Amino acid sequence: MTTAPGRRSSTFTRLLRHGFTDPSAAEQLLDLDALASVRSDPVLLEALGATADPDLALRGLVRIVEAGEESERQVLLDTLVTAKPLRDRLLGVLGASEALGDHLARHPRDWQALVTYESADLHPGVAEFEQGLADAVDPDSLRVAYRRCLLTLAARDVCGTTGLAQTAAELADLATATLRAALAIARTAAPEDAAQCRLAVVAMGKCGGRELNYISDVDVIFVGEARDGVDETKAMQAATRLAAHMMRICSDTTVEGTIWEVDANLRPEGRNGPLVRTLSSHLAYYQRWAKTWEFQALLKARAVAGDPELGAEYVDAVSPLVWGAADRENFVPDVQKMRRRVVDNIPADRIERELKLGPGGLRDVEFAVQLLQLVHGRSDASLHSGSTLEALRALAEGGYVGRADAAQLDEAYRFLRAMEHRIQLYRLRRTHLVPEDEADLRRLGRSLGMRTDPVAELNKAWKRHASVVRRLHEKIFYRPLLDAVAQLAPGESRLSAKAAAIRLEALGYADPAAALRHLEALSSGVTRKAAIQRTLLPVLLGWFADSADPDAGLLGFRKVSDALGKTPWYLRLLRDEGAAAENLARVLSAGRLAPDLLMRAPEAVAILGDPEGLKPRTREHLEQEVLAAVGRAGDAESAVAVVRGVRRRELFRTTAADLIGSYGTEDSPAEQDHGALVDRVGSAVTDLNAATIAGALRAAVRERWGDTLPTRFAVIGMGRFGGHELSYGSDADVLFVHQPREGVSDEEAGRAANAVVGEMRRLLQLPTADPPLLIDADLRPEGRTGPMVRTLKSYEAYYRRWSLVWESQALLRAEHMAGDAELGRAFVELVDPLRYPMEGLGEDAVREIRRLKARMESERMPRGADPTLHAKLGRGGLSDVEWTVQLIQMQHGWAEPGLRTTRTREALAAACAAELIPAEDAQTLDEAWVLAARVRNAVMLVRGRPGDTFPSDARELAAVGRYLGYEPGHVGDMLDDYRRITRRARAVVEERFYGAAG
């Protein structure tokens, strides 16, 4: 085949046309003497071009021919060009599997297994595979025989003789025959052990469901019993030795490679449990200790090897437990936990290539089908199948899944499994990752019949099917619920009302009957509104079920929809703005506060669809809006009504942002910096309340005095208000200060200032639909018995003569919030020497602060409250941390400018930077403070009213847990973590606050 330099041979061109990617190397291989008799045969070239990888197929063929005996080479080549079945099978395998090519190169006579093409050969079962393995007497010969059987199976697969489901079933049958052969070898090696026990091998997972991959762990459970007259302990020891030997025979790597891993970790207690148990021991465990996922695994249990009667007894005994799992106490939280895709352990660079575990992957389909089997299989035996595809078909026929959805899932699952098979077949390695290399993708695409542009076609088809799975994974739980309350076309199957109620209950709905009524009200009819709702609800129901209170979420959605359903923008917002629907679902199902705020003005739902909508407004922006609204209003009451409406809207914005940040969404993970969440809430609520007070002040002044009050007036924030650390339920602690204007008497100024204070408080507490803002001035000089408002000089005289150490401590939080800014600054300058005394505190003052703290701990703790769980006054709670930080501020603020802040966390960080507290102690205090602050926020969000301790109601406690990042069923962990974190903080407080004065 020599050609002139610079010119390509006709063979080169033909090879290129037939799909070879390296025609030069292929041309050299065809020139080898070993292929002399067939190199010019057009049939061979055509057949090579039809394979997934013509270059790989040709290299494999050359290796087989060269490895064979001289006398056998021509037989192979003659048969290859004259017998199309062999040609298609052999070259098809060689072009798809480098590993099987290696096997044929080591065992060149095994190509003859592909010659026969009888009808019985098309669909072999366990018996035929057992016959193929019959001559295996040791691990090496078993591996060779296994690969020979696998060779014929793969040939039927790549040639299209068998479909995906049949191939998976044959792989499981071959695994069954292999387990039996391995057990036989183990028994032959230890006849004494075999004589003492009965041993059954029960297949689980994909092997049990007869849907195995080419390379997959074969999951098993071993059941043993003593033979008559044999001590049970000795029998179990013998059975364990047999089982372990059988596993090694399959799993160990020898000169002939390995078969696959045999995995017994699905047994009771997993790796920590005995390898073999008696039937009664299995049942005792399942009845007492098993978790929901273990019953889910048992769906696929099938006796495959060893004692057939014992295996059948096991399967029959566990079956009622499997189908009764939905009645178990923890089924709902277990289901909620299991429904979440666990992709956290997949490296970020792999998640997009994961066929099995990634979003839209195989496990999404398998899990959804298995969960629906568990929920409905207790009352419908037609769902009792270990096969995913058979179970999906049964679910559709029973009306448990929509037929169209089931058909799309079936198609997507078959395609993804076919991809998985061909990826594994190439090197016979256990992997679920789509390759990145262009040549690997090309071979994969061609193996699936894509020939024009295999890489582009493969990626397009893969993404399309994964998208279908992602879209339907949640919807298949909920669409049939809508069909159960809708008018269906004749012949359509529907979920019965009873089955719908069972499913809702399994998904966490406490009142399924009410939920069905809401669904009917939302989705019935032929209007465009109902049609859009029917599209939205399957997704929304899934998000509601992901919360601690699905019933509240659905009821809230119905109320909002009833209020806004006739406004064209509402449903369009939920349908078209990707995040809006999920954000609304999170907000409506997370507790009472946010939905209550939303129900008072449902149009605020528009905030959830605006990308900038969840960002808090600045105080300047809020004051500008509030003061403009007051200027337009006719009187003080209507002005403050508008102001309180703005506050309600902004409170909803803040709660929504907090909930969505804490829960996370499908596209945005939960905020990991919990301190930032607390700071955002504290700052937002503080700015909002400051703007609200500014608006009430302007309204009170305008009503009586026009634009100018006879005295300059300022509102000073105290406590958490001054510290920018307000929680949702906090009052606004304030001091009022005024300064008579020039020419105005003290009496007139005092009357005006007091009148303004009284009117502000009245306006902000008027009974309306909006939440009131309570103003608390009890931190003023002389407390409740002292005047409500003082002049700057009066404050100066009081603090100079009468001030107590607790008042100086309270003033650490003083900051101007509203009114005359210059007067506010003057007040702050006045109190600075009190809160940051030169040279710090004396020993008497330190002792007094400690005495006050100890007294507060003993006297103010509510009766019956658990001091280890009280967020404000309890051990290591807010008060402990704040008093510790404030003591440092009063001792060192005069010398350390960073400590001169009203904010606890800022002051703590400054103290650490100044080396006034070790970094580890500062971290401990900060962690406890943030956690306690989040607990208070969570209680208000969940219950709709403030509280300083965890709720006693189980559902409310679970909702607090979800807000704090705990999965369903882990409230015990939440309480343990809270106690642990605050206990450590209290230890720091004991040392830093109650310890040495320095």
Side-chain angles (χ1 to χ4, degrees), residues 54 190 361 437 459 476 492 555 583 766 897 924:
D437 182 75
N459 281 322
I476 65 167
E492 280 287 313
L555 174 60
N583 289 345
L766 284 172
T924 298

Side-chain angles (χ1 to χ4, degrees), residues 323 373 376-377 379-385 390-391 393-395 397-398 400:
W323 302 113
Q373 285 180 276
H376 298 293
S379 59
D380 188 345
S382 70
L383 304 181
H384 297 187
S385 171
E390 288 180 10
R393 183 169 60 250
L395 285 165
E397 290 173 354
Y400 303 105

Side-chain angles (χ1 to χ4, degrees), residues 208-270:
R210 293 189 76 235
E211 50 186 12
L212 198 60
N213 297 328
Y214 274 100
I215 290 294
S216 176
D217 289 354
V218 171
D219 296 309
V220 299
I221 282 177
F222 295 105
V223 189
E225 295 289 347
R227 294 195 182 276
D228 292 341
V230 179
D231 176 72
E232 185 177 288
T233 301
K234 290 184 177 179
M236 289 303 100
Q237 291 171 347
T240 300
R241 288 191 292 270
L242 286 174
H245 190 189
M246 187 205 83
M247 293 174 69
R248 290 195 303 273
I249 289 169
C250 296
S251 304
D252 284 353
T253 300
T254 73
V255 292
E256 289 294 343
T258 185
I259 301 177
W260 19 246
E261 287 288 326
V262 177
D263 189 340
N265 289 335
L266 291 177
R267 65 186 184 272
E269 300 180 73

Side-chain angles (χ1 to χ4, degrees), residues 150-203:
L150 189 65
L151 180 66
T152 63
L153 193 158
R156 291 188 297 276
D157 179 17
V158 298
C159 291
T161 307
T162 54
L164 180 279
Q166 178 64 27
T167 299
E170 288 182 15
L171 285 164
D173 288 345
L174 175 55
T176 296
T178 305
L179 290 171
R180 292 177 182 178
L183 184 56
I185 294 171
R187 281 174 166 162
T188 301
E192 324 79 38
D193 286 342
Q196 293 186 68
C197 65
R198 300 167 64 202
L199 178 64
V201 184
V202 178

Side-chain angles (χ1 to χ4, degrees), residues 789-919:
V789 58
R790 291 175 181 258
T791 64
L792 191 62
K793 287 183 179 179
S794 175
Y795 276 109
E796 181 181 11
Y798 174 85
Y799 288 137
R800 184 177 66 249
R801 186 170 183 183
W802 304 109
S803 175
L804 300 174
V805 68
W806 74 263
E807 290 176 299
S808 298
Q809 182 181 353
L811 288 168
L812 285 166
R813 304 292 201 107
E815 182 176 304
H816 172 256
M817 287 293 172
D820 192 299
E822 186 179 341
L823 181 60
R825 283 193 297 272
F827 179 88
V828 170
E829 290 171 5
L830 168 68
V831 302
D832 269 351
L834 287 168
R835 54 185 179 175
Y836 311 124
M838 287 295 293
E839 305 301 330
L841 294 172
E843 289 186 13
D844 290 345
V846 172
R847 276 196 298 271
E848 177 64 10
I849 289 175
R850 290 172 177 159
R851 187 188 66 78
L852 288 170
K853 175 72 168 71
R855 179 181 169 189
M856 183 182 73
E857 289 177 13
S858 63
E859 295 180 2
R860 293 183 59 189
M861 179 71 69
R863 182 176 298 176
D866 183 347
T868 67
L869 293 175
H870 199 280
K872 182 177 180 181
L873 302 174
R875 179 192 69 188
L878 296 172
S879 176
D880 268 2
V881 177
E882 289 163 4
W883 281 63
T884 303
V885 172
Q886 289 163 13
L887 181 58
I888 295 173
Q889 288 181 280
M890 296 181 75
Q891 288 175 306
H892 302 284
W894 65 277
E896 290 293 340
L899 292 173
R900 297 171 208 161
T901 173
T902 63
R903 305 180 188 219
T904 301
R905 298 188 72 217
E906 275 188 14
L908 182 57
C912 181
E915 298 183 350
L916 298 171
I917 183 172

Side-chain angles (χ1 to χ4, degrees), residues 206 211-217 219 346 350-358 360-363 366 413 416-417 419-425 428-436 444 462:
K206 283 186 163 54
E211 50 186 12
L212 198 60
N213 297 328
Y214 274 100
I215 290 294
S216 176
D217 289 354
D219 296 309
I346 305 175
R350 291 187 173 191
I351 194 167
E352 292 301 321
R353 298 191 292 126
E354 256 285 351
L355 268 180
K356 180 179 180 181
L357 300 177
L362 291 164
R363 200 187 62 173
E366 292 161 358
Y413 185 73
L416 295 174
R417 282 296 303 273
M419 277 185 71
E420 183 183 44
H421 275 193
R422 299 303 162 82
I423 290 170
Q424 293 183 349
L425 180 60
L428 289 181
R429 290 180 183 170
R430 183 174 179 268
T431 179
H432 309 288
L433 288 178
V434 177
E436 295 178 289
L444 179 57
W462 172 34

